[in-house]
Structures are given as structure tokens and as C-alpha cells.
Amino acid sequence: MAGPRVVIIGAGVVGAALADEISARGWTEVTVVDQGPLPATGGSSSHAPGLVFQTNPSKTMTELARYTVEKFCSLEVDGEPCFLQVGGLEVATSPERLAELRRRHGWITAWGIEARPLTPDECVAKHPLVDRDKILGGLLVPTDGLAKAVLAVEAQIRRATERGVRFLARHEVLDVLQADGEVTGVRTDQGDLEADIVVCCAGIWGPKIARMAGMNLPLTPLAHQLAWTGPVPALAGQTEEAVRPILRHQDADLYYRDRFDGLGIGYYGHRPMPVSADDILSVDAADRMPSVLKFTEEDFEDAWTETQSLLPATREAKIEEGINGLFSFTTDGYPLLGESPDVKGFWVAEAVWVTHSAGVGRAVAEWLVDGYCSSFDLHECDVNRFEPHQLSPEYVLARDCQNFIEVYDILHPLQPSGRPRPIRTSPFYARQQEHGAFFLEANGWERPQWYEANAGLVEGRSLPTPNDWAAQYWSPIVGAEAQVTREKVALYDMTALKRLEVSGPGAAGFLEGLVTGKVAKSVGSVTYTLLLDHDGGIRSDITVARLARDLFQVGANGNLDLDWFTRHLPADGTVQVRDITAGTCCIGLWGPLAREVLQPLTDEDFSNDGLKYFRAKRAYIGSVPVTAMRLSYVGELGWELYTTADQGLKLWDTLWQAAEPLGGIIAGRGAFNSLRLEKGYRSFGTDMTYEHDPYEAGVGFAVRLDKGDFTGKAALERRKTDVRRRLSCLTIDDPRAVVMGKEPVYDGDRAVGYVTSAAYGYTVGKGIAYAWLPAELAAPGTTVHIGYFDQRIEAVVAEEPLFDPAMSRLRG
């Protein structure tokens, strides 16, 4: 036996996959417990219809699905395959859905999986039951198919068992045992099991198990309808379980699969039916299985009517059986993976459907054994990504139900989530409303995208209208705000950005050991630097301002940065980390007239010599104490001005009264994004993630390999000389051809990369798209094409930054 003692709670598709993957990596002192029988334990895996569609707007989710397909294709039980690779077909019955399928084709192509659009005739050739007159086209992914979930569980249990893993059926978990903030084992109804690591793979019971370790999971089990027809005469004589592609009719929230001479029909169009994890019946108390609720026929009526319309052959069949099956939904649609922030050794792998199960098993196994995941970028899936308000019961229930409703909806990249809103507002919210702010949401914050009060600025300006898709959640005011920022001055609300305070006598050394740059510099220094994982991948880009000998302010990207710092705190108490976001606020004052606005309001010297670029100091702006940092994410002269939340409105009013007479404006996030792309500034989570290193991403300047050791340094030294891809700036001449991100990039007919961020550059007069490309195609002047719906848009690799390469505006 090797490795630490591991107990996995749950033997469904996730728990079985993790046991298989972790034992394959040499950890064999592993016990898997489940309250139900094996291999059909009674959870979601036991009734899952098994459809695996790999297409997803998330690269990570697609890659998790691709690995699941590849692994399941290699598994069998006594000669019976665990995956039927019949392909996946999505059909459109409306022009809007047809356009959406073109966008989905872009995603799957960008992520490297074969797919092709189909004409209506080609759709019928693939799935003859479809009514040719109902559809406008389709999308086929040949490697999609049907996962035999219970069979896959059994196959992985057998493999893990051969390596020494123990599986204990009929063991109900009563408690997670812990001492001094660490797990020590699991208590079951048949005795205690000692453990160094406990992984919760309990699916719909996940919230109940996690609470035993003091962890609040934003997961809701919701019932989803699945019905089976009796024999369909047109399918008479079909002896194979599945011969036609799995089929999605997303315009009506429906999907279909073969089952010999009948069909399975899944439906998401009914009312949300949430269930508390505490109310799910036990294995013995359930009539069929705990995850299966009584079929509510009235909720299925529209589904059956639409099915008979799309698939006319079903008019000669009947619904013979149906269930309301429980599945896990989360507030943002992603899984919940990672270690508890409070109880060391307690991990979760939750909210994972069959589609992604084997991929998640591999990801978590790598994370446990190696200390990081090398196969997948998991920043979207980390359970510690949530802000505190996102864990409230009201929020979780509302957003989980909303995600159920929208599971097949056409969602715009900028489309804000529904209720509850507003949740977080900056001190400037009332003033923003007075100026007609159009708000979108960022981590719960109401963040203005533009201001209707600036509508008069549009007249007389060259502000091209983008294509219809890009024009959603857009206004020409965005362009006017961007141009006025470059011409005069603008106030930007930067409060939504996470702010951390790192303090204590060990603070400087602590930060030096985590970041790539030199931050233990003079008081007043501000450093742009990176956090790396152990493999050299970028975990975040941050700014670190030294405000006193033992006090630093960190501009972070989100709660994962706070979690990373907290996990690395020294045990001796010499360093403290505190999230100060809620108690503070920030205004970005930027533009060539910024100094004319600010200097008359203060006795401090804000000349170029008085506060140089990337320096900070404390000052009074009028009567308001601020921390002023001379940096700018829009590429213009100016400062980020921080103060406490109670004095934020006073600061806003003071600056506005000084800026307005000079022609200054307040500006929104739309202008901000355009300006930052003109300047070539990266956005973590979009342009670069865990899978990228600094040299690929074009932020190698933030790395000081000549300083002392820091997390990821050794790996980075190995990766530095092997740069095979680069984040590249592309420009587009056609002013309407504004892309949105995640589109494939082609070299001829070959997909070679994908777009990350994009916007129109109102200063440079071109569309801008940042994209990952092979290093050999990243040379300026190279022509490529971006796949946008059914178009190929010509783009050219450009030198960056596009605006003010000499940095004269920032340093003036």
C-alpha cells in the first residue's frame, strides 16, 4: 500500500473515477464508501440518461468531457462497452438557434474537437426521425455519444480494486471526523474509518456531507424530467441499443436518445423543482432509488407535444414510463472542486455530471497527488472561487434555479444573471443612477457599462456600429466615453476589483516567496507581478503596493487569490491577510487632464516628480484621505484613488465638481475594456489562466528570475526556453466585424488557436482581438482568419501595444 489514507465518499461516476485515477498514480490506501449498493448506488449516476455532448463555451469543461469520452471508449465490462459513440446532433428550428449553432461550432473547433454544421437534409440523413420541414440546420460532433454510466462505474471499480482500493457498499456517512482543523476520518453507521484525506463525491447529497466539515456548498439538487417511449413502429426490429446520434432540440429544451425500438426524452422546459439535500430519501426508504422522484405528467405535456412535432414517428407511440430525476446545479454552472478553506484534508468533487466525470476524476487525482492539476485549467471550477454573498441560501437557490431554466438558452457573453439584484453597490451608486448608468454585474457588484448622460457626446464622432450580436449590451456612448478619456479626463468606478491587505513583520518575506517580482522595495513602491502555481502556470496577476514597512495593499482578481494567500500563511502568526474590498472603494481618474483635476484639490505634490509612475502615497483630496497609486489600466495619465467606503461619495463629488468644468466625464466598463486592449493589458481568467506561463502570455517582464526563490520558479526556468504558443494582438479592418471572444482562429483551413478578449479600438480605429496562436504564426504581419458564426474574418497579427508604445502618456 502507498500514499496517504484516503476516504472517498460516494461511489458514483465521480467517486469511481477518482478511485481509479488516484490508484493509477500510486495511491492505493484508498477506501470508497457509499450508502447504496454497488455499482448502482442510487444517486444521479444510477438513472442518468448518459448523453455526452462535449460542446461548451468553457475550454476546460470541453476538455473534461473529451477526456471522459476517451476514457469511457476504452472501458468495458465483460465485453460490453461503456460508451456508444453514435455522435451528437443539435438541430435548429429558428434563425436565432441556427446562428447559435454556428457559434457553438466555433467553440468546439476552438477547443480542438471535430465538428461540422449540417444542412437540413444532412440532419435527416443522420437522424431519419427528424421532420425535414421543421429544421433549418444542425451541428454534428462525431465523437459525442452515450455513456453507460453504471457500467462505467463498475469498470472503474474493478480497475481500482485490482490495485488495492476498498469499496464499502451500504455504509452511510454520519460525520466527518476532525481535530485541530484537519480531517482524521469518517464516521459511518458501521464504524469509523481513519483518513488523512477525505473527498466528498456525494453528488446530490454533497451539501449535507460538506456541512459535516463546516463547508457550505452552493449546490441545489433539481428534478429534471426523463421519459421513455414504448415501441416506435418506425424503429421496429432495431436490435442495437443506439444507432442514431444523440439529439438536442434546444429551442424546446429537449433532448433524445435511442433505446432499441424506443426513445428516451429529456426535458428542461418545466418549472424548476428544487429539493433540499436533507430531504432526499435514504436508499431503503425510496421506492426506486433516492435520486428518482415521481414523474409529474402535467409538466411533460408540452414536451410530448413538441416531440411529436419534431419526430412525427412518435405519434404512433406512447410514453410508457418517466421519472423526475435529481441532478446537481450550481450558481454559475461549473463544478465544485478543491479543498476546504477551513478543514485541511477535506476535499470536494461535486456538481459533476456524467459528461465530465472521468475528466474530473483525473483532475482531482493530479491535484491531490502532485499538488496541482497539470491536465486542466481549473480556475473556473475551484470551490473557493465564491464571494461570501454567493453562498447565502437565498442566492444559491435563486441562481441554481435560474441556471436550470437557462440550461439550453441562447446566452450573450455580457448577459447579466437574474435575481437577486442589486446585491453589492459602490458608494457612487446613487450618482451613477442619476447619470443613467446601464449596469451589468461583476461578482455581485453593479458595474456601469456606459452612462446615458453621455449620449450627447456621440454626435459628430466616428463610432461604427458593430454587427448585431456584438451590438447587444452596447451603445455608441461606449465609443464616445473611450475617446473623451483619451482627449480629456474621465472617472471610472474601480470598486469591484478585489483588494487585500497583507500586514505583519513577515509580510515582505511572505510576498517575496509567492510572487514573481521584487516587492520588498521602498515604501511607496507599486509592483505589477504574478502568482504562479508549482508548475509555472499563471494563477493571477496582481499589483502590490508597499504602504508601510509591514503593510502592503494587493490589487487581486478574486477570492481565489485570497484563498491562495491564506493557504500559504506562515504558522508563526507573523503575517495577516485581510479582504478590505467591502470597506473601501476606488476611483480611476485618467486622461491627459487628470493632473489639472487633481492637483488643485490637494496640498500634496502630484507632479511627475512628486509621484512617479508606479508609485503610491497617502494624501487628502479635499477633506477625504486617500491612497493614491499612479497606475492606469487604460493607458493614460492618472491615478487609482482609494478611500474608505463611508467617504467614497464625498470623494466622487469632489472629483466630479473639478472634472466637469474641464469637459471631464464619468465612463463605464465598455470604454475601459476598449482602452485596455488598445494598450495591450491582459485580463486574468480571460487572456491567460493556469494553463499559460508568463513568457507565452507576454508578461515575462513581470518575472525576476534573479531574485530569491518563489513558488513556480524552478518550473518557470524549465519552461522559459520552450515557448510554443503566444498570446497575440490581432487587428481587424472591418468596423462591423467585432468579435466577442472564444472564436476559433484559422491558418487557411486549419484551426490553430482561439480568441480571448476582443473589442473595437476607438482610438486606433480598428477591431482588436487577442488570441492564442502557435509561436510560428505570432509574427507581426501574419494574416489569419477568425471564425465568427458562419463568417471568416480577416485579421492581422500586430505589434503591441497598439496605442502609445513609448508610454509617454502614462509617464508624462
Side-chain angles (χ1 to χ4, degrees):
M1 305 290 270
R5 297 168 300 177
V6 179
V7 171
I8 298 171
I9 302 172
V13 282
V14 181
L18 176 57
D20 180 35
E21 296 283 344
I22 203 171
S23 61
R25 285 162 176 77
W27 283 17
T28 54
E29 198 166 345
V30 178
T31 302
V32 184
V33 297
D34 200 291
Q35 63 182 336
L38 300 176
T41 62
S44 300
S45 305
S46 301
H47 75 259
L51 288 82
V52 176
F53 288 95
Q54 298 167 85
T55 308
N56 195 288
S58 164
K59 182 173 183 282
T60 296
M61 295 298 280
T62 295
E63 290 176 342
L64 291 169
R66 172 166 49 194
Y67 181 77
T68 300
V69 167
E70 292 170 353
K71 182 175 184 180
F72 282 11
C73 282
S74 72
L75 298 177
E76 62 175 35
V77 174
D78 301 331
E80 187 176 352
C82 294
F83 195 81
L84 306 177
Q85 202 159 42
V86 292
L89 175 63
E90 302 178 58
V91 294
T93 59
S94 66
E96 295 79 12
R97 183 65 63 179
L98 185 63
E100 170 73 354
L101 293 187
R102 299 295 185 260
R103 189 165 70 116
R104 296 175 67 79
H105 179 236
W107 295 338
I108 197 74
T109 302
W111 312 148
I113 295 177
E114 178 194 354
R116 64 179 184 272
L118 299 185
T119 66
D121 287 336
E122 290 172 326
C123 290
V124 174
K126 285 291 180 182
H127 203 298
L129 298 189
V130 172
D131 184 347
R132 164 67 176 77
D133 295 333
K134 282 275 293 183
I135 61 173
L136 302 178
L139 176 66
L140 178 71
V141 178
T143 53
D144 287 347
L146 282 169
K148 307 293 290 293
V150 174
L151 212 60
V153 167
E154 184 173 359
Q156 293 175 103
I157 286 176
R158 289 186 182 186
R159 285 162 45 129
T161 301
E162 289 174 357
R163 301 186 192 106
V165 174
R166 268 197 313 169
F167 286 83
L168 302 179
R170 294 287 186 173
H171 280 60
E172 182 182 358
V173 173
L174 304 177
D175 200 4
V176 175
L177 306 177
Q178 50 194 293
D180 300 323
E182 298 185 18
V183 296
T184 60
V186 169
R187 175 155 295 157
T188 79
D189 60 351
Q190 298 192 44
D192 293 353
L193 300 168
E194 293 183 344
D196 305 301
I197 294 170
V198 173
V199 187
C200 177
C201 302
I204 54 178
W205 291 278
K208 181 178 179 180
I209 299 296
R211 279 199 307 273
M212 297 175 184
M215 196 173 183
N216 188 6
L217 291 185
L219 182 160
T220 303
L222 281 113
H224 156 58
Q225 289 199 304
L226 175 66
W228 300 96
T229 72
V232 177
L235 305 182
Q238 181 175 319
T239 57
E240 293 182 64
E241 180 177 352
V243 297
R244 279 164 292 279
I246 55 175
L247 177 67
R248 271 209 285 217
H249 175 24
Q250 297 189 84
D251 281 324
D253 297 302
L254 285 161
Y255 64 76
Y256 305 93
R257 57 151 294 176
D258 284 9
R259 188 173 71 168
F260 301 102
D261 62 352
L263 292 175
I265 307 169
Y267 186 44
Y268 287 104
H270 55 79
R271 61 194 167 90
M273 294 184 263
V275 175
S276 169
D278 296 314
D279 294 335
I280 301 172
L281 295 176
S282 67
V283 173
D284 293 329
D287 289 338
R288 181 170 172 183
M289 64 180 73
S291 63
V292 169
L293 306 182
K294 183 180 178 181
F295 188 59
T296 51
E297 294 181 5
E298 64 276 12
D299 290 304
F300 198 73
E301 289 176 357
D302 290 344
W304 183 230
T305 299
E306 181 61 29
T307 295
Q308 292 174 308
S309 175
L310 181 72
L311 309 175
T314 59
R315 296 169 190 167
E316 300 180 62
K318 294 181 179 180
I319 299 297
E320 286 199 344
E321 58 178 312
I323 64 169
N324 287 1
L326 294 177
F327 288 92
S328 300
F329 281 78
T330 61
T331 56
D332 58 6
Y334 291 104
L336 308 173
L337 312 179
E339 188 179 20
S340 162
D342 302 312
V343 180
K344 185 177 181 181
F346 182 78
W347 289 67
V348 298
E350 287 291 342
V352 182
W353 292 6
V354 173
T355 298
H356 310 102
S357 58
V360 165
R362 177 175 182 173
V364 175
E366 290 179 352
W367 200 347
L368 286 167
V369 175
D370 301 329
Y372 61 91
C373 177
S374 59
S375 296
F376 309 97
D377 161 35
L378 296 181
H379 84 275
E380 295 170 313
C381 306
D382 193 314
V383 70
N384 296 294
R385 64 188 180 269
F386 300 101
E387 296 291 325
H389 75 272
Q390 294 172 322
L391 300 176
S392 72
E394 178 190 26
Y395 182 94
V396 170
L397 180 61
R399 289 294 171 91
D400 288 357
C401 288
Q402 185 71 20
N403 278 333
F404 178 89
I405 292 169
E406 294 178 345
V407 71
Y408 279 175
D409 284 3
I410 299 170
L411 301 176
H412 192 274
L414 295 179
Q415 184 171 327
S417 300
R419 66 180 185 90
R421 282 184 69 190
I423 298 175
R424 309 173 83 182
T425 57
S426 77
F428 326 128
Y429 185 60
R431 297 292 184 266
Q432 292 165 345
Q433 288 178 304
E434 291 168 7
H435 282 79
F438 180 84
F439 290 102
L440 297 181
E441 184 191 14
N443 282 330
W445 291 98
E446 295 296 317
R447 187 165 67 183
Q449 192 74 356
W450 68 81
Y451 295 88
E452 288 295 331
N454 293 327
L457 299 173
V458 172
E459 187 175 351
R461 295 181 179 274
S462 176
L463 303 171
T465 300
N467 57 79
D468 291 347
W469 182 248
Q472 295 185 45
Y473 305 99
W474 174 88
S475 166
I477 297 170
V478 167
E481 291 177 358
Q483 291 182 353
V484 173
T485 302
R486 295 261 187 252
E487 296 162 1
K488 296 180 180 180
V489 65
L491 277 67
Y492 288 83
D493 180 0
M494 303 300 290
T495 303
L497 300 181
K498 174 79 83 176
R499 291 172 292 285
L500 307 177
E501 181 183 272
V502 182
S503 61
F510 167 74
L511 287 168
E512 283 288 330
L514 288 178
V515 304
T516 61
K518 184 73 173 173
V519 297
K521 299 185 290 189
S522 62
V523 172
S525 64
V526 183
T527 306
Y528 173 81
T529 187
L530 308 172
L531 298 175
L532 304 182
D533 215 327
H534 298 281
D535 64 344
I538 301 169
R539 286 194 64 93
S540 189
D541 64 335
I542 60 175
T543 56
V544 180
R546 191 170 200 176
L547 303 182
R549 182 179 182 275
D550 297 331
L551 178 65
F552 296 80
Q553 182 171 312
V554 176
N557 279 299
N559 214 55
L560 289 180
D561 295 343
L562 174 61
D563 181 68
W564 186 253
F565 281 141
T566 303
R567 290 182 188 280
H568 289 83
L569 285 173
D572 60 10
T574 57
V575 183
Q576 294 81 45
V577 175
R578 188 165 67 98
D579 184 350
I580 61 172
T581 309
T584 57
C585 58
C586 178
I587 297 173
L589 177 69
W590 295 313
L593 302 183
R595 190 172 281 122
E596 294 181 40
V597 173
L598 191 65
Q599 189 61 74
L601 302 175
T602 179
D603 294 333
E604 290 289 333
D605 183 5
F606 276 86
S607 69
N608 195 38
D609 291 333
L611 186 63
K612 295 184 180 297
Y613 185 53
F614 263 81
R615 297 288 298 179
K617 69 177 175 181
R618 300 267 175 69
Y620 285 93
I621 306 303
S623 61
V624 179
V626 303
T627 299
M629 298 186 195
R630 190 175 167 191
L631 58 155
S632 166
Y633 208 46
V634 301
E636 292 291 337
L637 169 68
W639 302 268
E640 291 180 356
L641 303 170
Y642 298 88
T643 191
T644 53
D646 62 320
Q647 298 183 81
L649 188 57
K650 179 64 175 175
L651 177 62
W652 181 276
D653 288 344
T654 301
L655 291 170
W656 176 239
Q657 289 167 11
E660 188 180 21
L662 297 176
I665 62 169
I666 56 177
R669 187 70 179 187
F672 177 91
N673 195 51
S674 171
L675 296 169
R676 72 104 177 163
L677 287 176
E678 289 184 330
K679 195 59 184 167
Y681 292 146
R682 277 65 168 144
S683 174
F684 177 80
T686 304
D687 299 316
M688 54 191 186
T689 67
Y690 294 2
E691 68 174 302
H692 307 116
D693 70 45
Y695 305 110
E696 298 171 329
V699 289
F701 63 87
V703 177
R704 290 279 302 273
L705 289 175
D706 59 347
K707 70 168 221 170
D709 195 25
F710 56 85
T711 301
K713 180 179 180 180
L716 206 56
E717 289 173 326
R718 295 191 298 270
R719 294 175 69 156
K720 183 178 181 180
T721 58
D722 188 27
V723 176
R724 301 182 185 183
R725 57 185 173 179
R726 294 191 184 277
L727 184 62
S728 306
C729 177
L730 308 180
T731 58
I732 302 166
D733 288 336
D734 183 351
R736 281 188 53 80
V738 176
V739 300
M740 300 296 295
K742 302 188 177 182
E743 297 88 359
V745 179
Y746 293 90
D747 176 33
D749 292 330
R750 181 174 61 107
V752 293
Y754 58 92
V755 174
T756 58
S757 296
Y760 189 79
Y762 295 98
T763 312
V764 300
K766 291 178 180 289
I768 305 169
Y770 272 78
W772 282 99
L773 296 177
E776 64 271 17
L777 294 177
T782 303
T783 298
V784 294
H785 288 82
I786 299 171
Y788 188 64
F789 293 90
D790 58 351
Q791 305 172 44
R792 294 288 179 93
I793 296 172
E794 184 175 290
V796 178
V797 179
E799 293 275 7
E800 58 172 331
L802 298 172
F803 178 78
D804 189 26
M807 304 282 282
S808 59
R809 311 267 293 206
L810 283 165
R811 299 178 184 275

